[in-house]
Amino acid sequence: MAPPIALPETFARAVAGLRSATPRPEIVLEEVGAPQRLAPYAFALSAAVLRDDDEVATGRLILLHDPAGHEAWQGTLRLVTYVTAELEVDLASDPLLPGVGWTWLTDALAAQGAGHRAIGGTVTQTLSTRFGELAGPPAAGDIEIRASWTPLRADLGPHLLGWCTLLASTAGLPPPGVTALPTRRSAGAA
């Protein structure tokens, strides 16, 4: 049996920070296999956002660590994310959606005090209409956010909480402590 591999302290602290943060109850996190070719050390989480037992958004957060540093990263740690959610067609077709989606990310990181640099990414909106054997609802819309950034500190708890806030925004969840109004009137309502 091979002896355990010692992890660099910076990477071990970063992973511990990701594991220590507790997301809101609608967000279910799971450790998953990380890509091995992007950096010498990697760790990954997947997330599902549930609303009334329906999965309304998903995401993946990958931590990369290269002790030698990486010029494009401007550091030794890098967080990479992919978030996707189905949207109502009118929202998915809004030309302002990409800018709003990007703001969901940057505002979420700022609100958690998750200092970063070298942030970049894309926001993609799609509309799909099903035909033939795939016929179903008349149209569907999606948003996809792909981004990466370099954290300023190895404590990544605030970054995880910011990422979870992004997931919640993408899924259309109300802020914590706010109750969404019902969408249907009850039979006895006037």
Side-chain angles (χ1 to χ4, degrees), residues 10-11 14-15 18 34-35 38-45 60-82 102 105 109 114-122 146-156 159-160 163:
T10 299
F11 181 70
V15 170
L18 291 174
L38 301 176
Y41 301 93
F43 174 81
L45 294 169
R60 180 171 273 209
L61 183 67
I62 302 168
L63 167 64
L64 303 174
H65 176 58
D66 187 340
H70 196 287
E71 186 178 335
W73 297 357
Q74 300 176 22
T76 62
L77 294 172
R78 189 76 172 164
L79 288 166
V80 180
T81 189
Y82 169 78
W102 188 252
L105 171 62
L109 293 173
H116 60 277
R117 67 174 155 251
I119 190 169
T122 62
R146 293 177 184 263
S148 63
W149 63 93
T150 298
L152 298 180
R153 292 183 195 82
D155 175 13
L156 298 188
H159 292 269
L160 179 74
W163 181 64

Side-chain angles (χ1 to χ4, degrees), residues 1-177:
M1 185 167 167
I5 297 172
L7 297 175
E9 182 183 338
T10 299
F11 181 70
R13 249 184 304 135
V15 170
L18 291 174
R19 287 178 171 156
S20 70
T22 303
R24 57 192 285 178
E26 302 94 336
I27 300 174
V28 178
L29 298 178
E30 178 183 357
E31 291 184 22
V32 294
Q36 298 302 308
R37 292 190 223 168
L38 301 176
Y41 301 93
F43 174 81
L45 294 169
S46 71
V49 182
L50 304 174
R51 184 174 39 212
D52 301 326
D53 295 326
D54 291 328
E55 188 175 278
V56 293
T58 60
R60 180 171 273 209
L61 183 67
I62 302 168
L63 167 64
L64 303 174
H65 176 58
D66 187 340
H70 196 287
E71 186 178 335
W73 297 357
Q74 300 176 22
T76 62
L77 294 172
R78 189 76 172 164
L79 288 166
V80 180
T81 189
Y82 169 78
V83 172
T84 186
E86 191 170 313
L87 299 173
E88 295 177 14
V89 172
D90 57 337
L91 183 58
S93 64
D94 188 328
L96 300 176
L97 180 62
V100 170
W102 188 252
T103 300
W104 288 338
L105 171 62
T106 57
D107 286 357
L109 293 173
Q112 295 297 328
H116 60 277
R117 67 174 155 251
I119 190 169
T122 62
V123 178
T124 305
Q125 63 194 99
T126 59
L127 289 174
S128 301
T129 304
R130 296 175 177 94
F131 297 95
E133 294 296 317
L134 296 177
D142 294 290
I143 184 171
E144 177 183 286
I145 300 170
R146 293 177 184 263
S148 63
W149 63 93
T150 298
L152 298 180
R153 292 183 195 82
D155 175 13
L156 298 188
H159 292 269
L160 179 74
L161 294 175
W163 181 64
C164 288
T165 300
L166 167 65
L167 284 160
S169 296
T170 305
L173 296 180

